[in-house]
Amino acid sequence: MKGVVFSIKHRERHYSNNSVHRGITKKSIKSFFQRYSLHLLFAVVFVLSIILGSVSFSRISQSTLQKLDFLFLTNLDNRLKLSPFDLFCSSFASDFVFVFSAFLLSFTAWGMFALPLLCAFKGFGVGLSTAYMFSQYSVTGIGFYILVVLPATALFLFAFLMSLKESFAQSVLLLRTYFSSTYDVFLLRRTKTYLFRNCIILIMIAFSAVVEMVLWVLFAGMFNFK
């Protein structure tokens, strides 16, 4: 009886080990990159733009930073004076501008070329905001950015990458319809799905704005920026 039990356990262990080794194959890796290649492409563009924005911070004038405050966090003093509702509106509006721009570009055949630039501009602004917090407020700015700003930024980035990917695919499909009428019906069906997914993305950026508002209300008062 014991031999039967041990034999069964050995077979289960052997099967489990084989399943683990077979879990990651060339085919699965290829499938992963085929499915998420656009996400990875835009993520790389975003990260490189953050680095460029951080490096370029010292060469940008203060007046330019103030003009960009609507889109990025480049003036902390003004943000600290806002009410919770104003904080939500400010965060949601700045995020909505980028998502809505990606949405509009999806309905143009040349949108696929402009979307990486839009992604780079957003990454550049995040880099500016990061460098601003670190240079102006040192350790306090680093702690504030990590605790208050970064969580909402990460949530928005996830939604933004989804928006860029969906817009890119929609723009490519639109371009194909100019060369072949067989894509017309498929474009109509894909557009319905695209609009539904953008509604989800809109909810996600609204949630991101709520998270940022809550974190500002809870933790902004803990930091001394004077």
Side-chain angles (χ1 to χ4, degrees):
M1 185 67 181
K2 290 183 179 179
V4 174
V5 173
F6 288 141
S7 177
I8 294 174
K9 288 184 177 179
H10 177 72
R11 290 179 181 178
E12 290 177 347
R13 190 180 301 111
H14 180 71
Y15 179 79
S16 177
N17 291 336
N18 287 340
S19 298
V20 172
H21 290 299
R22 291 177 183 176
I24 301 177
T25 62
K26 291 182 179 180
K27 185 176 180 180
S28 63
I29 294 175
K30 182 179 179 181
S31 177
F32 174 82
F33 280 102
Q34 286 178 343
R35 185 173 183 179
Y36 298 105
S37 57
L38 286 176
H39 296 87
L40 294 174
L41 173 63
F42 285 119
V44 170
V45 172
F46 192 85
V47 171
L48 293 177
S49 301
I50 290 177
I51 297 173
L52 179 61
S54 302
V55 173
S56 304
F57 173 77
S58 60
R59 295 190 290 271
I60 296 180
S61 64
Q62 192 65 30
S63 60
T64 303
L65 291 175
Q66 291 178 355
K67 294 176 182 178
L68 292 174
D69 187 55
F70 172 72
L71 297 175
F72 314 109
L73 178 59
T74 54
N75 193 329
L76 185 59
D77 294 334
N78 289 342
R79 294 291 180 97
L80 291 173
K81 297 176 184 178
L82 298 178
S83 65
F85 180 73
D86 290 335
L87 285 170
F88 170 80
C89 292
S90 176
S91 176
F92 181 78
S94 60
D95 293 344
F96 179 78
V97 166
F98 287 94
V99 172
F100 187 63
S101 297
F103 177 78
L104 293 179
L105 288 172
S106 68
F107 293 101
T108 63
W110 49 268
M112 67 183 79
F113 304 107
L115 287 169
L117 298 178
L118 180 67
C119 179
F121 181 61
K122 178 61 179 179
F124 185 83
V126 172
L128 286 180
S129 300
T130 306
Y132 164 76
M133 293 294 299
F134 290 5
S135 64
Q136 294 293 320
Y137 304 104
S138 187
V139 178
T140 302
I142 295 174
F144 181 83
Y145 189 88
I146 294 175
L147 183 60
V148 178
V149 180
L150 186 59
T153 301
L155 288 174
F156 168 74
L157 175 59
F158 181 76
F160 189 45
L161 291 178
M162 288 180 57
S163 175
L164 291 170
K165 181 262 180 184
E166 293 294 331
S167 298
F168 189 93
Q170 186 75 5
S171 178
V172 171
L173 185 59
L174 180 63
L175 179 62
R176 289 179 176 178
T177 60
Y178 293 152
F179 300 96
S180 175
S181 59
T182 58
Y183 287 97
D184 290 344
V185 176
F186 185 68
L187 176 62
L188 180 60
R189 295 177 181 175
R190 176 65 173 73
T191 301
K192 294 180 180 179
T193 304
Y194 174 69
L195 294 175
F196 173 74
R197 290 177 179 176
N198 269 270
C199 290
I200 297 177
I201 292 171
L202 191 63
I203 294 173
M204 292 174 64
I205 66 170
F207 177 71
S208 171
V210 170
V211 170
E212 183 170 357
M213 177 193 70
V214 171
L215 292 176
W216 274 74
V217 172
L218 292 178
F219 301 112
M222 298 171 53
F223 294 88
N224 183 15
F225 297 102
K226 296 181 180 180

